[in-house]
Amino acid sequence: MFSRFRDKDRNEVDVVIEDRHGPIIGVDVKASTTVFNGDFCGLRRLTSACGDRLVSGLTLYDHDRVVSFGNRMAAVPFSSLWS
């Protein structure tokens, strides 16, 4: 199932993918060549709401490197979707 996440403080995640068995992946999309820790606010709020069900929080961005942003969080290049 695909959905969006937005909390009362307007933190949001563009795409939330939920497996019928419970695991969740959050995906944010940034039109930028740089990603900062603050870009993961929505994904971290989603983690708070879902707990261990969130298996991965990804931010897709316009660069060529995967960058870890802590436990289960990473910035991933758009190009990785086609590789």
Side-chain angles (χ1 to χ4, degrees), residues 28-35 59-67 69 74-79:
D28 253 347
V29 180
K30 302 291 180 198
S32 176
T33 58
T34 57
V35 179
T59 295
L60 295 174
Y61 77 127
D62 189 21
H63 203 279
D64 60 358
R65 292 184 349 179
V66 173
V67 180
F69 277 84
V76 179
F78 289 116
S79 61

Side-chain angles (χ1 to χ4, degrees), residues 4-14 16 28 30 37-49:
R4 278 189 86 168
F5 171 82
R6 186 173 182 182
D7 69 6
K8 63 181 175 65
D9 297 321
R10 296 180 175 236
N11 292 294
E12 57 186 6
V13 176
D14 296 324
V16 178
D28 253 347
K30 302 291 180 198
N37 197 42
D39 293 324
F40 285 82
C41 288
L43 288 166
R44 289 197 173 97
R45 290 288 181 102
L46 180 62
T47 300
S48 295

